[in-house]
Amino acid sequence: MEKKTYYIAVGSGEMPEPEEATGNFKFEIQATEEEVVKLQAMFEELTTNEEDTAVRATISNRSDKENNADDWNLTEIYRMLHELGTPDTRRHIEAMHVLPRT
């Protein structure tokens, strides 16, 4: 499959192609359509988890299990961005120290 360039804004989950990119995008990746679909699903899951966490935040005595799921999902998004990213994107993510050292 052919890879295209996409610009990513992690906070909003936006992933436009270059001709559609306007705004503050921090990461540039080269991805196939299949990889973009997978990344979009990861962003959707993160959004759902964040909404669930916001509701549960009003409940006392809740566990950190949900927060851990958010952290894991966000780490996986950064891992995929690092894998698909340009050299500048990979360096930026490495400088953020958001991926566990292996």
Side-chain angles (χ1 to χ4, degrees):
M1 279 189 154
E2 181 183 335
K3 291 194 176 220
K4 291 183 179 180
T5 299
Y6 294 87
Y7 295 97
I8 312 298
V10 173
S12 65
E14 292 179 84
M15 300 187 303
E17 293 182 41
E19 59 273 5
E20 300 169 357
T22 58
N24 188 17
F25 297 96
K26 293 192 184 261
F27 305 107
E28 180 181 347
I29 64 169
Q30 297 287 315
T32 64
E33 188 175 324
E34 182 178 280
E35 291 165 332
V36 167
V37 168
K38 181 178 178 183
L39 192 54
Q40 286 171 330
M42 293 168 77
F43 276 118
E44 288 171 12
E45 183 176 343
L46 180 63
T47 299
T48 300
N49 289 345
E50 287 174 344
E51 289 169 357
D52 291 347
T53 299
V55 170
R56 285 188 299 269
T58 61
I59 302 169
S60 61
N61 298 325
R62 66 182 186 89
S63 73
D64 287 331
K65 183 179 179 182
E66 294 87 7
N67 290 336
N68 291 340
D70 287 350
D71 291 347
W72 181 85
N73 190 270
L74 192 55
T75 299
E76 290 305 301
I77 287 171
Y78 279 114
R79 188 182 319 278
M80 189 167 187
L81 293 176
H82 186 268
E83 178 183 316
L84 300 173
T86 63
D88 285 343
T89 292
R90 288 193 295 271
R91 280 191 293 275
H92 185 99
I93 291 171
E94 289 164 7
M96 292 170 62
H97 303 287
V98 293
L99 298 177
R101 295 180 190 248
T102 55

